[in-house]
Amino acid sequence: MIVDCHTHLINYQDEATDDLAGCLARMQATMRRNRVDVSMVLTSYKVTPGRPSTRAVVEATRHLPNIHVVAGLSWKTFCDEDVVELRGMLEAGEIKGLKLYPGYEPFYPADPKLEPAYRLAEEFDVPVMIHSGDTYSPTGKVKYSHPLNVDELAVDFPKVKFLICHLGNPWFRDCMEVVYKNDNVYTDISGLTLGDFSDRFEAYMRQQLKEMILWGVNPRKVLFGTDWPLATMESYLQFMDELKLPPKDKELMLWENAAALFKLDVQAAPLGLGSLLRRI
Ligand SMILES: [Zn+2]
């Protein structure tokens, strides 16, 4: 079983054009080719024709038992109506978590404006994913996306589970400490590269991840994710294959941790050939 905990259905080539159906078809083909059983789709903090709303993605994926939605929030426009809409989607089981984009938007995760979102996450016991580290766009401001900022949240909302996306890249040590120190903080390995890894960078990243686990981060708190379509699933699975960690830790990262964190009914997902091959 493989769960990709971090994907997007965004038309990055042309944000002015709606291509949700095309993005979804490409993602399904990529999942089949790579034997990825389940994907979590994270919606954006903005809505444009190429960046569909959470509602649009929920509707487009409703019939697909192996694709789940995590709702992207905008700090800038976050308001009471959002809380009402999110509550409805959480009650209906249409979304499995929330996602925030500090750095892309200029706010610190502990901004009191977002407290209603954290209260919702607590009430429905869904994780809050937080963009961290480098921004894909040079107009982002990375002081807001530093992984240390998640520590304050983790302490102030001890019942909410937070996930630091991208291992805090390049602040791996800071991410390591925040995940290690706080029982309620997780991290994912997505988005470390654009497209495919170069050999040298791949080796460097493997070393970082190995160090994190050796140093004491519980492998139950590290999730496999790609950031597809920005990174390829092919290169990420190769990255995992060549990672020198005990097979049981890799299994945790590849699907068990995500299944537990997002409370996925993995039995509902059609078992891909990948699961069978990997079990042999
Ligand atoms: Zn992403």
Side-chain angles (χ1 to χ4, degrees):
M1 173 74 67
I2 302 174
V3 178
D4 184 338
C5 83
H6 192 133
T7 69
H8 301 284
L9 291 175
I10 292 175
N11 185 3
Y12 287 103
Q13 277 78 38
D14 177 11
E15 288 197 20
T17 304
D18 172 359
D19 189 28
L20 177 53
C23 290
L24 185 54
R26 282 193 293 282
M27 187 171 82
Q28 287 178 288
T30 309
M31 287 171 68
R32 276 195 297 274
R33 205 168 55 238
N34 290 284
R35 299 159 181 165
V36 169
D37 302 271
V38 178
S39 285
M40 311 304 295
V41 173
L42 285 39
T43 57
S44 181
Y45 59 101
K46 353 182 228 201
V47 177
T48 64
R51 290 178 180 255
S53 67
T54 301
R55 175 51 62 200
V57 176
V58 163
E59 294 310 329
T61 59
R62 189 181 285 290
H63 61 296
L64 301 169
N66 61 338
I67 294 183
H68 302 289
V69 182
V70 171
L73 268 55
S74 167
W75 162 82
K76 209 164 143 191
T77 62
F78 188 69
C79 61
D80 292 348
E81 287 83 80
D82 290 337
V83 177
V84 172
E85 190 185 17
L86 289 167
R87 172 177 289 283
M89 289 195 272
L90 285 163
E91 277 167 353
E94 294 170 332
I95 54 173
K96 298 280 185 192
L98 308 178
K99 167 92 192 273
L100 293 167
Y101 293 84
Y104 287 101
E105 291 187 309
F107 70 98
Y108 289 107
D111 191 315
K113 183 177 178 182
L114 293 169
E115 188 175 333
Y118 302 136
R119 294 287 168 221
L120 268 184
E122 181 174 336
E123 184 182 338
F124 289 89
D125 191 23
V126 295
V128 181
M129 301 177 78
I130 301 188
H131 171 80
S132 81
D134 189 37
T135 51
Y136 176 59
S137 146
T139 58
K141 293 180 177 168
V142 293
K143 71 172 180 179
Y144 296 109
S145 55
H146 196 290
L148 270 184
N149 298 329
V150 178
D151 182 57
E152 187 174 351
L153 268 187
V155 172
D156 291 350
F157 297 92
K159 291 186 186 142
V160 180
K161 297 181 181 99
F162 295 98
L163 183 144
I164 300 176
C165 299
H166 320 307
L167 294 178
N169 178 28
W171 295 298
F172 306 111
R173 293 270 162 113
D174 305 75
C175 172
M176 192 160 112
E177 166 60 12
V178 179
V179 176
Y180 172 80
K181 169 183 166 277
N182 299 292
D183 283 344
N184 55 336
V185 181
Y186 299 71
T187 186
D188 80 32
I189 66 167
S190 70
L192 298 174
T193 189
L194 287 178
D196 294 323
F197 283 98
S198 69
D199 290 349
R200 281 175 61 188
F201 186 67
E202 188 174 357
Y204 172 75
M205 282 316 312
R206 258 195 229 107
Q207 189 55 35
Q208 298 297 319
L209 186 53
K210 241 176 65 188
E211 255 181 52
M212 212 179 251
I213 308 276
L214 285 174
W215 181 75
V217 166
N218 187 337
R220 290 192 179 275
K221 298 171 91 187
V222 183
L223 278 68
F224 171 78
T226 60
D227 215 5
W228 187 90
L230 296 174
T232 67
M233 290 189 188
E234 283 83 355
S235 65
Y236 257 92
L237 287 167
Q238 194 187 329
F239 175 87
M240 288 300 291
D241 272 349
E242 290 168 24
L243 189 64
K244 288 189 178 55
L245 282 179
K248 64 169 180 23
D249 289 354
K250 284 202 211 177
E251 281 288 293
L252 286 171
M253 290 168 62
L254 279 169
W255 71 275
E256 289 181 46
N257 295 342
L261 184 62
F262 294 100
K263 291 186 274 178
L264 302 179
D265 178 9
V266 282
Q267 299 307 324
L271 275 186
L273 189 56
S275 334
L276 297 172
L277 287 176
R278 270 159 205 276
R279 257 149 224 249
I280 292 169

